[in-house]
Amino acid sequence: MVDGGSGDGDVSESEWAAIRGRLRFGQVFTGTVVHVPRPGAIGLFVDIGLPVGGFVDVLMLPMTAERWPAEGTVTGFEVWWADAGRVQIRLKPVELAYLNEDFDELMASLHPNWRSRVGQPMDYME
């Protein structure tokens, strides 16, 4: 078994592969923020209804921690990454209020073609 992050429990490697196989870049889930370990510093954990936890990296969130969604907040999240080695679904907030103010500029330098990847299966993007 491998650690399922903030999901409901552990999943096997084959279960993780099956979950990843169904995920698409940009796929939207409604999720609940379940843990914000260090506001402004790390990111936050999200329950998106799968046995694998979701995580939003600090780089995706507003620079001011007061603007981050609080624990218990229910909102939309897009699948951003899910690699084979880490059993965790990386997410991006859908609501602009919860997204880094410089997101477009950041993505222009790091991942300029990210929009063309929407709809691609996660295992295709390795």
Side-chain angles (χ1 to χ4, degrees):
M1 300 298 261
V2 287
D3 180 11
S6 66
D8 297 329
D10 293 336
V11 296
S12 70
E13 290 181 32
S14 62
E15 289 170 319
W16 175 228
I19 291 167
R20 278 186 71 238
R22 292 188 301 270
L23 294 174
R24 299 290 180 261
F25 183 83
Q27 182 177 353
V28 176
F29 285 90
T30 297
T32 303
V33 177
V34 293
H35 188 54
V36 184
R38 290 178 43 207
I42 296 173
L44 47 91
F45 294 91
V46 179
D47 180 349
I48 57 172
L50 297 176
V52 174
F55 181 76
V56 181
D57 190 272
V58 65
L59 292 176
M60 293 288 184
L61 296 163
M63 291 178 222
T64 306
E66 291 78 22
R67 292 193 43 228
W68 287 22
E71 290 180 10
T73 300
V74 177
T75 188
F77 296 92
E78 294 179 38
V79 173
W80 191 256
W81 189 252
D83 65 60
R86 176 181 280 174
V87 183
Q88 184 181 77
I89 301 169
R90 295 296 181 125
L91 302 167
K92 170 188 161 291
V94 171
E95 287 187 47
L96 292 178
Y98 298 137
L99 188 62
N100 183 313
E101 301 85 344
D102 296 328
F103 177 79
D104 288 333
E105 183 178 318
L106 182 65
M107 289 305 108
S109 65
L110 296 176
H111 303 290
N113 300 317
W114 72 269
R115 283 185 174 90
S116 67
R117 296 168 42 189
V118 171
Q120 295 292 325
M122 296 312 301
D123 55 357
Y124 167 80
M125 297 169 56
E126 293 277 334

